[in-house]
Every structure is written in structure tokens, then in C-alpha cells.
Amino acid sequence: MSETTVPVATGTLPRRRPRAATPVWLLLPATAMLLVFFVYPLTAIIWRSFTDPAAGLGNYTALLHDDVSIKILLRTLRTSLIVAVCTLIIAYPYAYAMTRVGPRARSVLTVLVLLPFWTSLMARNFAWYMLMQRGGPIDRFFGAIGVDGVVLLGTVAGVTIAMVQVMLPYMVLPLYSGMEKIDRRLLDAATSLGAPRWRAFVRVYLPLSIPGVLSGFSLVFVITLGFYITPALLGTPQQSLISQLIGTQVSSLLDFGGAGALGTVLLVVTLLVLFAVSRVARPTAALGQAVGSE
């Protein structure tokens, strides 16, 4: 019995070319702008909060004992929370509808939600000013149905409505980005196992959309904390927010240290919110927790 020799092809496998290293100098312009226009001013504000007018924690101690500042800070947090919740309630079904319609209708819905980005913020605020003032369209509309004296200008409700309208795109876009990645076959699988459509939505789709909800909610909440123009134009000094108080301390009282302390507290609150969002479980874990609780 003779042995059969099987020829083996010889040769060398092609080697992958090493990935070219990114030139460091390409990062220099962005890094320089970040350091000059963000890091340096932020560091200067925090430094002055500890050193102006005297070194120590005097500005923070005065802030803790100032009932007006604490009240305004709590009002700002409450207003930001209300705006974020109202924006989420409006944006969630809108973003869900964007995932269910065809490409042409989705384009229309996207254009509608992006329209505020193409309009000046001042123009939008003055439009709300005209709508909410006494004798304006809102007042006349409610007067026509028998409800007189509905003047939203200078009220917390009016400021909140205007802020919700401004922040709506910041909630819709993260929600849509998260929802379009959800596999809808999971809903079909749930219904094939006997679950009603609403129950499949609540137990399957809603937990998977939590990352988009948290992204939009935290984004809207953080941006709303620093709102200045809208509450300044549509609100009153008695209902001012923290940004207006900081502006008053800088422009009128020249209390740069106290304003820096307020800004630092606001920065800490923002970081805490972002940290809390980063610690939330992943969507698969949220889904598993929801299913396991049954």
C-alpha cells in the first residue's frame, strides 16, 4: 500500500498594515479652544468663589445662610424638573410616532421638530411675549369660551410653557435615536405568547427605551438649570431663577465671589445628575429586571 503525498501550498499570509498613528498636532486646535474658552474661565470662577473677597469658605457659608438664594436655587431645580417631565410627556409619543411612520412622514416630523433650531431664541421669546400678554391671543381665546383674565405673562406657568417649547427638540432627538434601535420583533414575540399589545409595550418596549429617556431627560434638565433669557423676558424678578440671580450679583452688586459660589453649586448639581444617569442599568438589564419582577 503506497502512501499518497498531499501537496501543501506554501506561502505567507498577507500582513496587516499597522494603523497609522493619529498626528498629535491635529488635536491641538480643539484642545486649545477647550482650555482657553472653557477650562480657564471655569477654573477662574471656582477660584474666585474661594478667594474673593477673602480666602476661605465665606461665600459658601453666606450662601447656606441666605434664605433668598436657597429659595431661588430650589425654585430653579423644581422648574427644571417640571420642564423635563412635561417635555418627556410630549416628546415620547412624538418620537414613537417617528419610528412608526414611513420615510416621507418621518422627514416631515423631523423638520417640524427642528424648526426651533432655525429660529432665533429672542424671536421665539418675543413671540411668546405677544401671545401671553393681557389682550393677547391666549387671553382672547379663553375670554371667548367664558374664562376671563388668563394672562400667562409674568407667571411661572408662562415661563414653563415657553421653556418646554424651546427644549422639546432636545428631548425628541435622543428619544428617537434610542427608539429606532429597538427591535420591534420583540413586541411581536410577546404578543404571540399571549400578551396584549399594551402589556407588551409596557413590559418590553418601555424598558428598552429607558436609555433614550434618561439621555433626553438629563440633557433637558441640565440645560434648563442655566436658562436666562426666557425667565428674564417672560417672568418677574419675584420668580427669578438662579441664572438671573448670578447676573444680578455680577452686574449690580459686583459680588463675583458670591456669583462664583452659586455657579459652582450649579456645576456640582449638574455633575451629580450626570453621574446618576451614568449609574443607571443598561436596557437589557432593565428589561431583565422588569421581566423578573413578574
Side-chain angles (χ1 to χ4, degrees):
M1 185 174 179
S2 61
E3 295 182 358
T4 304
T5 304
V6 180
V8 179
T10 60
T12 58
L13 294 176
R15 295 181 178 179
R16 293 183 179 180
R17 294 182 179 179
R19 183 177 296 179
T22 303
V24 179
W25 60 268
L26 291 177
L27 303 177
L28 293 179
T31 304
M33 290 191 63
L34 186 65
L35 292 174
V36 173
F37 296 105
F38 180 75
V39 177
Y40 172 72
L42 186 61
T43 304
I45 291 173
I46 297 175
W47 176 259
R48 296 195 70 167
S49 69
F50 289 101
T51 59
D52 189 1
L57 301 175
N59 291 316
Y60 295 92
T61 304
L63 176 61
L64 292 176
H65 291 84
D66 187 1
D67 295 336
V68 176
S69 298
I70 297 297
K71 183 178 180 180
I72 293 177
L73 179 61
L74 294 177
R75 182 189 301 139
T76 303
L77 294 174
R78 183 178 66 251
T79 303
S80 299
L81 182 62
I82 293 174
V83 170
V85 171
C86 294
T87 307
L88 176 61
I89 293 174
I90 298 173
Y92 195 95
Y94 191 95
Y96 180 76
M98 290 177 65
T99 64
R100 298 292 294 157
V101 298
R104 182 173 299 179
R106 187 181 301 117
S107 300
V108 174
L109 292 177
T110 304
V111 170
L112 290 177
V113 79
L114 291 178
L115 279 177
F117 286 120
W118 304 334
T119 309
S120 169
L121 181 61
M122 293 294 295
R124 280 180 281 168
N125 284 317
F126 277 111
W128 280 112
Y129 188 95
M130 299 299 295
L131 290 172
M132 294 179 179
Q133 66 180 344
R134 186 175 300 276
I138 295 178
D139 188 18
R140 294 200 301 269
F141 170 78
F142 281 99
I145 61 177
V147 181
D148 297 325
V150 180
V151 181
L152 297 177
L153 185 63
T155 63
V156 177
V159 173
T160 302
I161 292 173
M163 293 171 72
V164 168
Q165 185 271 330
V166 172
M167 298 307 302
L168 193 59
Y170 295 94
M171 182 69 76
V172 171
L173 297 180
L175 282 173
Y176 171 71
S177 178
M179 288 179 176
E180 69 171 351
K181 300 175 183 177
I182 300 176
D183 191 352
R184 296 197 59 84
R185 290 177 297 180
L186 296 173
L187 295 176
D188 297 334
T191 54
S192 66
L193 295 175
R197 296 294 300 181
W198 67 268
R199 189 172 183 81
F201 180 87
V202 173
R203 304 300 292 179
V204 177
Y205 193 91
L206 187 60
L208 291 175
S209 66
I210 287 178
V213 171
L214 294 177
S215 298
F217 190 91
S218 59
L219 181 63
V220 171
F221 183 82
V222 168
I223 295 177
T224 308
L225 287 175
F227 252 65
Y228 179 80
I229 296 177
T230 301
L233 289 178
L234 304 180
T236 60
Q238 292 75 20
Q239 300 293 334
S240 60
L241 301 182
I242 194 70
S243 57
Q244 296 168 265
L245 179 60
I246 293 175
T248 301
Q249 288 186 325
V250 171
S251 60
S252 301
L253 304 178
L254 300 180
D255 184 10
F256 296 99
L262 282 171
T264 303
V265 170
L266 201 61
L267 175 63
V268 171
V269 172
T270 301
L271 294 177
L272 290 176
V273 171
L274 296 178
F275 176 77
V277 171
S278 67
R279 302 299 297 177
V280 174
R282 295 180 179 180
T284 53
L287 178 60
Q289 183 179 1
V291 175
S293 62
E294 291 243 333

